[in-house]
Amino acid sequence: MAPANDEAHRTKLPAPTVPDRVSADGLEEKWMAQWDERDIYAFNEDTTRQDVYSIDTPPPTVSGSLHVGHVFSYTHTDTVARYQRMRGKNVFYPMGWDDNGLPTERRVQNYYGVRCDPSLPYEEDFEPPFKGTAKSVKNKDQLPISRKNFIELCQTLTVEDEKGFEELWRRLGLSVDWSHTYQTIGERAQKVAQAGFLRNLARGEAYQAEAPGLWDVTFQTAVAQAELEPREYPGHYHSFAFHGEDGEDIVIETTRPELLPACVALIAHPDDERYKDKFGTTVTSPGFGVEVPVLAHPLAEMDKGSGIAMCCTFGDLVDVQWWRELDLPLRSVLEKDGRIQRGVPEWITDEAGRELYKKCEGATTFSARQTIVDALSESGEMIGEPEATKRMTNFFEKGDKPLEIVTSRQWYIRNGGKEFTRPSSQMNLNDELLERGKQLQFHPDFMRVRYDNWVQGLNSDWLVSRQRFFGVPIPVWYRIDEDGNVDYEDVLTPSEDALPIDPTTDVPEGFEESQRNQPGGFAPEVDIMDTWATSSLSPQVAGGWLHDEKLFANVYPMDLRPQGQDIIRTWLFSTVLRAHLEFDGLPWKHAAISGWILDPDRKKMSKSKGNVVTPMGLLDKHGSDAVRYWAASARLGTDAAFDEGQMKIGRRLAIKLLNASKFALTMGQGADLDLNPLNVTEDLDRAIIAQLRGVIETATKAMESYDHTRALETTETFFWAFCDDYLELVKERAYNRDGKWTPSQAMSARTALALVVDNVVRLFAPFLPFAAEEVWSWYRSGSVHNAHWPNTLNLEDVDGNPAVMEAASEALVRMRRVKSEAKVSPRTPFLHVTLEVPAGMVDLLELSREDLALVTHVEGEFGIRPSKEDSVEVVDFELGEPPARKPRK
């Protein structure tokens, strides 16, 4: 589908209407308003899929403020959207808001000074104690409120945050269709997420299980493998003596003394000669007197510490693997709040051990650790002193305490981490997902390995349930038997027509509200879905699945997923997974992966590190085009330094585009603008058009391969050379004030100038949309952003040699240098001058001799002779008197 507004077929236009003074200031407000008023970026829903280019735009998390890293990556996406629109595509470019989940809850807690307590009743017309007016409110001082009140505050604050985000995106010039927006907590997103989950459940791809899993004690929620962040954590190695049945002690080293009461075995490598005679025997744990076996397993590390480790349920993920594979008992002593369980466990029968446990129960892990260390030090069962160390341990990516492993009932979606074959396939799910990765086009391609490594390294299914409040509810209930026991195997589900639902307030079919949590009735699922469980369906949510089937058919599967490299394992992978399970295909054809923004210390910018720069001040200071230029100067997949110097260059470029275009378009001095390539008859003019053709071809090829940076670099390099050299060379001929040139010679220059501007302004449009639109408005109607992307078809009749322009530029540079070194005005005349040039350049320079002589003010003999050297040199010259300076008006 061709752009709605284009005049490329017209070769003659009315004389340009150019302002007396051009400026880059104020262009954002001017054109933002007009773009909105004229629906420049509106998606035409009366379309066909082949005419559409659809983008699965990343929904930014709206819990706070955008930073310059967002500007960086979203600008990359916008260059693609603008390019595809100019290529004739009907661009579907929506915007979503990721507003559910933990970040929003934390922001609401801090902003309003509240915390959620589901046991409290709902309070009508509730007024929170603060509204962003408190610097900080500690957890213990936060006002407890009902779940419903808390969710209402979450919804209120996200709406306000989204307004600020939209304002910034508009100011940046994103060509989003603002009539197509969604919220990940919105009704449409909830229906899609819940329907997708129920379909997974019906096909056996979603299941619940009681199992050990990673748990964040601060946020009181289970954590998925994709949310882990390994970090160094300080601790101490402690050496303890386990007492063997033969009277010999076995010494183990551990950083977790507080887990001694949960020890179920000592484990060494099967090939470790030190312990071969111990396998199959038992030892007694120090302090607690519990008898545990000594076992062999290949995961034990012979060269680490004493080579033998205690397996506790659970200290780390290796413990979980040993527990499963060696069929060990479950002896959990950690509660979900990170404290030692109250009540002495049945397996501790030794009286001294029971007394030691009583001193630990209810204590934090830190306090319990110290209590046990002190006791074993006194009893002599601790060997030596604790030795300081740093160990790598798993953290929740948003947390600040190491994760614990607790056993709980959770919901999972199969993702290839465990053996699973779909009924419709002969392949293991993991292998299927690796094949999907091969089908997806990554830009840059080297990012593909991150996807492959993640899929190959999966060791568990996707944990999708979260013990939080503000999110999409898991849409199930459980039947309660007549004795009042909840039967988690008897799952009650709603019909898709009833979605979205909230099990904590809605009632399953066939039941009444009075039966909630009653014998013979039903119990609601109170957990919500992981935020990725909704975001993994972003192309379906944005595209209208289960909401607008006509729209969905025209935009899905989408063409592009742009995103950051750090969420390939989460967002990209989970979206591929859900599309594979539901639609047996990819959700999009291309994945464009942006790099990171680095601070001056070459560290990634992030809110958590506190080294981010907020963008609105930059937009005010440098202008939107300038900030976009900096962002677009970085290639996909490449990290870039935050550099205001690049923004200054971008601003100069935008201003130069305005000034040079004004200069070039007005040389006809009020005459109509003629864009007929057949008017370009002079060799120098033909040469610049030949160069322009090459630039268009290179830029187009680059944009097609998602290399926006090369397209920008190519255009910018050509444009500066055009301004510095060609425009200077031909301006006298284009003006032709004294009639020295024939009308056709003057027209040739004017037409070439206009053709260059007309194409360059389109080439710059994806990058400098405000300056490009301003120039376009001087001589054409409509918007440059709905115009055709430049092509070379209408320029092919101009048979020029680019080398003519290259030779003239090199000679011009050398002749300018002579005057610069002599420290005289550029308008100082040459009384005579001789150039020595490579032999093959003599004829080329003859074709631009007159333009060159005029612009460099050669008044006498102008010699051009061959040289044996490869460079252009001014070998003989005489300078006249500088012209008198004209008095200022």
Side-chain angles (χ1 to χ4, degrees):
M1 185 181 75
N5 173 32
D6 188 67
E7 299 172 295
H9 62 284
R10 294 180 59 188
T11 60
K12 184 164 286 191
L13 299 170
T17 304
V18 181
D20 293 335
R21 181 180 176 275
V22 298
S23 172
D25 296 333
L27 294 183
E28 292 88 352
E29 290 77 10
K30 174 182 177 179
W31 291 111
M32 282 163 48
Q34 293 201 34
W35 290 338
D36 278 351
E37 184 180 330
R38 291 150 55 188
D39 286 334
I40 297 300
Y41 306 124
F43 176 68
N44 180 5
E45 299 196 23
D46 187 15
T47 190
T48 59
R49 182 64 187 89
Q50 65 184 14
D51 294 328
V52 170
Y53 186 90
S54 50
I55 300 173
D56 183 18
T57 320
T61 303
V62 294
S63 55
S65 60
L66 290 166
H67 61 77
V68 76
H70 293 100
V71 168
F72 180 71
S73 56
Y74 281 77
T75 296
H76 296 171
T77 306
D78 192 59
T79 63
V80 176
R82 290 182 179 279
Y83 168 74
Q84 292 292 342
R85 198 177 285 111
M86 295 177 75
R87 289 292 281 179
K89 290 293 186 178
N90 184 13
V91 175
F92 181 69
Y93 187 14
M95 180 60 71
W97 308 116
D98 190 4
D99 44 16
N100 66 2
L102 181 59
T104 298
E105 290 187 28
R106 294 181 69 182
R107 174 156 162 73
V108 166
Q109 288 173 208
N110 293 329
Y111 190 88
Y112 292 114
V114 299
R115 59 183 170 83
C116 183
D117 183 346
S119 67
L120 295 176
Y122 176 67
E123 184 179 330
E124 293 280 355
D125 302 319
F126 171 73
E127 285 294 325
F130 304 102
K131 292 186 179 180
T133 53
K135 287 186 177 180
S136 177
V137 183
K138 294 181 180 179
N139 287 354
K140 64 184 181 66
D141 297 327
Q142 291 172 348
L143 178 68
I145 61 174
S146 74
R147 177 173 182 159
K148 186 175 180 181
N149 285 126
F150 186 77
I151 289 174
E152 285 179 353
L153 290 179
C154 290
Q155 292 169 332
T156 298
L157 191 56
T158 54
V159 168
E160 291 305 309
D161 286 342
E162 286 158 15
K163 290 177 183 176
F165 276 44
E166 181 176 334
E167 179 185 356
L168 189 140
W169 284 149
R170 288 176 178 271
R171 175 66 183 274
L172 183 63
L174 296 192
S175 57
V176 166
D177 181 350
W178 291 103
S179 67
H180 286 279
T181 60
Y182 67 89
Q183 297 174 301
T184 57
I185 196 63
E187 185 173 307
R188 177 156 50 108
Q190 290 202 37
K191 179 174 182 176
V192 167
Q194 290 184 339
F197 175 84
L198 291 174
R199 293 187 183 197
N200 292 138
L201 180 62
R203 293 191 296 262
E205 298 153 3
Y207 65 93
Q208 58 179 325
E210 184 89 16
L214 292 162
W215 185 269
D216 190 285
V217 299
T218 302
F219 299 115
Q220 288 293 288
T221 186
V223 177
Q225 183 181 354
E227 297 170 309
L228 301 185
E229 185 176 294
R231 300 180 201 162
E232 273 194 345
Y233 191 71
H236 291 81
Y237 273 121
H238 304 78
S239 297
F240 297 130
F242 279 71
H243 313 302
E245 56 190 27
D246 57 2
E248 293 186 11
D249 287 343
I250 295 179
V251 177
I252 62 97
E253 293 182 0
T254 180
T255 59
R256 302 293 304 272
E258 70 275 16
L259 294 182
L260 267 171
C263 182
V264 292
L266 296 189
I267 299 178
H269 195 279
D271 298 333
D272 196 327
E273 295 292 339
R274 293 171 292 180
Y275 302 107
K276 277 190 173 181
D277 63 340
K278 302 293 184 182
F279 295 144
T281 67
T282 62
V283 293
T284 303
S285 63
F288 295 95
V290 177
E291 190 173 321
V292 298
V294 181
L295 304 173
H297 194 282
L299 281 183
E301 300 175 89
M302 289 190 285
D303 58 350
K304 185 175 180 180
S306 58
I308 190 166
M310 65 175 187
C311 174
C312 303
T313 51
F314 298 96
D316 57 26
L317 292 173
V318 175
D319 283 349
V320 176
Q321 187 169 348
W322 284 338
W323 170 73
R324 284 192 178 123
E325 295 180 6
L326 298 175
D327 195 23
L328 297 170
L330 179 64
R331 293 174 180 170
S332 177
V333 296
L334 271 184
E335 296 279 11
K336 290 180 180 180
D337 61 1
R339 294 178 178 269
I340 303 299
Q341 288 179 0
R342 289 170 174 81
V344 180
E346 58 173 355
W347 61 85
I348 301 177
T349 57
D350 179 81
E351 191 57 38
R354 292 176 67 84
E355 288 303 315
L356 177 56
Y357 188 90
K358 289 177 182 178
K359 294 178 181 179
C360 298
E361 58 182 342
T364 64
T365 54
F366 178 85
S367 298
R369 182 182 310 147
Q370 192 61 49
T371 298
I372 292 172
V373 167
D374 290 344
L376 298 189
S377 179
E378 185 177 339
S379 70
E381 293 170 296
M382 189 172 89
I383 313 299
E385 294 297 319
E387 182 181 338
T389 184
K390 286 187 176 181
R391 60 191 176 95
M392 294 301 293
T393 189
N394 287 319
F395 285 73
F396 179 30
E397 59 187 1
K398 297 180 177 67
D400 53 14
K401 290 184 180 179
L403 294 171
E404 299 292 356
I405 298 176
V406 301
T407 300
S408 58
R409 182 185 60 82
Q410 302 290 343
W411 279 98
Y412 298 84
I413 291 179
R414 300 188 188 277
N415 66 355
K418 293 183 177 181
E419 194 74 21
F420 179 71
T421 301
R422 298 187 302 155
S424 60
S425 174
Q426 302 298 314
M427 295 174 65
N428 180 271
L429 178 57
N430 190 278
D431 293 330
E432 287 186 312
L433 293 169
L434 286 170
E435 284 300 311
R436 287 291 181 216
K438 293 176 183 177
Q439 298 165 12
L440 181 60
Q441 297 182 53
F442 282 85
H443 305 282
D445 188 66
F446 67 75
M447 286 292 175
R448 183 187 311 276
V449 71
R450 300 197 181 194
Y451 174 90
D452 292 341
N453 289 345
W454 174 252
V455 178
Q456 291 167 351
L458 284 168
N459 54 36
S460 61
D461 283 332
W462 178 13
L463 173 70
V464 295
S465 51
R466 291 292 181 274
Q467 291 66 55
R468 303 302 302 170
F469 310 111
F470 189 54
V472 178
I474 295 175
V476 300
W477 303 266
Y478 307 99
R479 196 181 297 275
I480 300 177
D481 66 22
E482 295 303 325
D483 295 327
N485 301 310
V486 179
D487 185 356
Y488 290 108
E489 298 300 316
D490 195 346
V491 179
L492 306 171
T493 60
S495 67
E496 280 192 13
D497 292 342
L499 301 178
I501 62 106
D502 182 348
T504 65
T505 56
D506 293 313
V507 176
E509 187 176 351
F511 290 83
E512 296 178 354
E513 177 61 33
S514 60
Q515 294 176 278
R516 185 182 299 274
N517 297 320
Q518 299 299 314
F522 66 93
E525 174 59 78
V526 297
D527 287 354
I528 62 169
M529 293 187 196
D530 166 21
T531 185
W532 296 115
T534 307
S535 296
S536 63
L537 294 166
S538 57
Q540 290 86 352
V541 174
W545 185 50
L546 306 180
H547 171 71
D548 185 340
E549 291 304 319
K550 178 184 176 183
L551 173 65
F552 189 63
N554 282 331
V555 303
Y556 188 89
M558 292 190 170
D559 293 277
L560 177 66
R561 154 64 70 81
Q563 66 163 70
Q565 58 183 310
D566 52 331
I567 51 174
I568 289 175
R569 75 188 194 282
T570 49
W571 193 32
L572 187 144
F573 169 70
S574 62
T575 312
V576 170
L577 169 69
R578 302 300 289 279
H580 176 73
L581 295 177
E582 186 63 43
F583 300 99
D584 199 24
L586 283 172
W588 358 259
K589 301 172 186 174
H590 303 270
I593 312 297
S594 292
W596 287 330
I597 295 300
L598 308 178
D599 67 12
D601 295 326
R602 306 297 295 176
K603 294 179 181 178
K604 177 194 172 187
M605 278 194 179
S606 69
K607 293 181 189 177
S608 61
K609 289 184 172 66
N611 61 348
V612 300
V613 177
T614 52
M616 191 59 86
L618 295 172
L619 297 174
D620 290 336
K621 180 179 179 181
H622 300 288
S624 300
D625 282 346
V627 176
R628 288 174 63 101
Y629 170 86
W630 159 74
S633 296
R635 284 182 167 81
L636 289 174
T638 302
D639 296 343
F642 172 70
D643 184 3
E644 285 196 67
Q646 278 288 95
M647 297 177 195
K648 292 175 182 177
I649 294 172
R651 183 167 178 83
R652 286 199 297 270
L653 178 62
I655 292 171
K656 190 67 174 181
L657 179 61
L658 295 168
N659 285 322
S661 297
K662 175 182 178 180
F663 192 36
L665 293 173
T666 56
M667 287 185 176
Q669 302 176 67
D672 287 350
L673 199 62
D674 201 318
L675 295 168
N676 187 345
L678 297 179
N679 290 335
V680 183
T681 55
E682 298 300 299
D683 291 291
L684 187 61
D685 306 329
R686 288 174 173 269
I688 195 69
I689 298 302
Q691 284 188 339
L692 176 62
R693 282 206 308 270
V695 169
I696 293 171
E697 289 167 357
T698 300
T700 303
K701 184 178 180 181
M703 292 299 287
E704 286 294 321
S705 60
Y706 292 85
D707 188 354
H708 58 263
T709 305
R710 177 157 174 71
L712 175 57
E713 288 174 347
T714 301
T715 304
E716 183 185 7
T717 300
F718 169 79
F719 177 69
W720 282 115
F722 164 77
C723 295
D724 293 343
D725 299 338
Y726 177 75
L727 201 143
E728 289 298 315
L729 281 165
V730 304
K731 64 181 180 181
E732 295 301 332
R733 174 155 56 90
Y735 278 128
N736 199 20
R737 295 184 181 92
D738 55 9
K740 177 180 177 180
W741 307 90
T742 67
S744 65
Q745 289 174 316
M747 178 59 74
S748 177
R750 292 175 194 160
T751 301
L753 287 166
L755 284 170
V756 169
V757 169
D758 193 50
N759 284 277
V760 164
V761 75
R762 300 176 199 230
L763 291 169
F764 275 135
F767 310 102
L768 312 173
F770 295 102
E773 189 75 297
E774 176 70 9
V775 172
W776 186 263
S777 71
W778 298 340
Y779 70 103
R780 287 191 184 272
S781 60
S783 171
V784 67
H785 304 298
N786 283 340
H788 275 298
W789 179 257
N791 64 67
T792 59
L793 292 178
N794 65 327
L795 303 178
E796 288 181 351
D797 291 334
V798 183
D799 185 17
N801 182 356
V804 173
M805 187 63 225
E806 294 164 9
S809 294
E810 192 169 350
L812 180 59
V813 168
R814 294 299 187 275
M815 295 173 76
R816 283 171 171 165
R817 185 179 300 166
V818 166
K819 296 180 182 180
S820 176
E821 292 173 351
K823 297 181 180 179
V824 299
S825 165
R827 298 179 66 242
T828 300
F830 282 106
L831 300 181
H832 67 82
V833 63
T834 300
L835 301 181
E836 281 192 357
V837 304
M841 194 182 286
V842 173
D843 290 342
L844 296 174
L845 279 179
E846 288 294 343
L847 298 175
S848 61
R849 172 193 286 272
E850 291 185 71
D851 287 313
L852 191 58
L854 196 61
V855 75
T856 58
H857 305 282
V858 178
E859 294 183 350
E861 183 180 351
F862 184 9
I864 303 173
R865 66 192 188 201
S867 168
K868 294 181 180 179
E869 304 299 326
D870 291 334
S871 60
V872 174
E873 300 296 339
V874 179
V875 295
D876 183 27
F877 68 92
E878 181 181 357
L879 294 172
E881 291 295 322
R885 210 179 259 185
K886 294 181 180 179
R888 289 187 178 179
K889 294 182 179 180

